[in-house]
Every structure is written in C-alpha cells, then in structure tokens.
Amino acid sequence: MRNDRLGAHKLLYNGRVRWRVLLAGLFTLFIAYGAVALPPEVQADLLKQQIVDALKKEDVKTALAAFDKYHALNVKMPPPLMFLEAKAAWAAGDSLRAYESLEAFLKVSPQEGKQYSEALTLYPQYEEAARPELDKAKAAAAEQAKLAAVA
C-alpha cells in the first residue's frame, strides 16, 4: 500500500503529467471565466429582468445596482428602462440621478404614451429637487474653467 502511494506521488511529479494537469486546470478556468462570457446585449437583457424583479419587490437598492451594471455595459438603454431608473432613483432619495435619468428619457422617448405624460408631470418636481446639486456642479465647473484659464 505504501508503495502505491509512492508510485502515485512520483507519477504526479513526473513532468508530462504535471503539465497535463496544469493545462487542464488552465483550460477549465479559461472556459469558466473568459471564453464563454455572454455578449453585452444578452447581459443587458438579464439585467433588465433583474431590474424588473427588484422593482416588483420594491427593492430599489438592488434595482439601482443593476442599473449601474447596465450602464457599465455601454449598451443603449431603451427609454422605458430610463424612466424606471428615474423612478427608482427618486424612491431611493437620489434626486440628481432621478432628474438626469428622467431628462435622458424625455430626450429620446416618443412624445406619446403614459410614461411620457407621467414624465412631463414629474419633470418640474425632479428638477426642483436636483437644483441645489446642479448649481453646485455648475459652480465647480466654472471654478475649474477659471483655474484652467490661469494655468
């Protein structure tokens, strides 16, 4: 029995077997993590489903995290999803994100339908709530422009 263990031990440290084991492990990692990554469009569809499921459960934190992942894919977001992001951000208390998402929705949405009408109604409220943050950003940009002009 002891001799069998020693034989297996020698076999594992044999050069050919060691390389085969190493290559098999690397191949498995390659397949599991890199080569079979889904296309961004498919990942976006999966994230849309996560967003809808999270919002059905009123879990805006999870929905907003999924929206962040969606944006990172650099895939064009459909207008209805922009509208959902605005409402989720508003529910989470992020007035600037809500305003920016609603504004993006209004720029690309067809000028008809229930969501468009609701967005027009919400826009003044979202803009007013985001105004202090928008003013800060505008002042910071003006300050940076002054500094750049001096330098």
Side-chain angles (χ1 to χ4, degrees):
M1 185 83 147
R2 187 168 190 271
N3 289 338
D4 288 341
R5 275 193 238 151
L6 289 176
H9 179 42
K10 287 181 184 176
L11 184 62
L12 284 175
Y13 287 100
N14 178 313
R16 275 191 265 170
V17 173
R18 186 176 2 165
W19 277 107
R20 285 182 186 163
V21 170
L22 179 63
L23 288 175
L26 288 174
F27 180 72
T28 302
L29 285 173
F30 179 72
I31 293 296
Y33 293 107
V36 293
L38 296 172
E41 294 79 10
V42 175
Q43 292 179 42
D45 289 338
L46 291 170
L47 286 169
K48 276 190 253 183
Q49 191 58 50
Q50 276 184 345
I51 290 164
V52 170
D53 291 344
L55 291 176
K56 282 180 183 176
K57 297 174 187 171
E58 298 182 12
D59 184 0
V60 293
K61 184 177 179 181
T62 300
L64 290 174
F67 276 115
D68 291 338
K69 291 176 185 176
Y70 194 105
H71 288 297
L73 292 174
N74 291 321
V75 174
K76 185 178 177 185
M77 185 179 285
L81 211 52
M82 293 175 185
F83 183 73
L84 288 178
E85 181 177 16
K87 293 191 77 170
W90 184 260
D94 188 345
S95 58
L96 181 61
R97 182 172 181 174
Y99 167 75
E100 290 172 342
S101 298
L102 193 64
E103 186 174 57
F105 168 78
L106 288 170
K107 287 179 180 178
V108 298
S109 175
Q111 296 179 343
E112 57 190 27
K114 184 182 175 191
Q115 284 185 332
Y116 183 78
S117 297
E118 188 177 349
L120 289 175
T121 303
L122 294 173
Y123 186 79
Q125 179 183 2
Y126 284 22
E127 183 181 32
E128 182 181 335
R131 179 61 45 210
E133 292 179 68
L134 292 168
D135 290 342
K136 285 180 193 175
K138 189 176 180 180
E143 186 65 30
Q144 286 182 348
K146 280 184 192 177
L147 293 174
V150 172

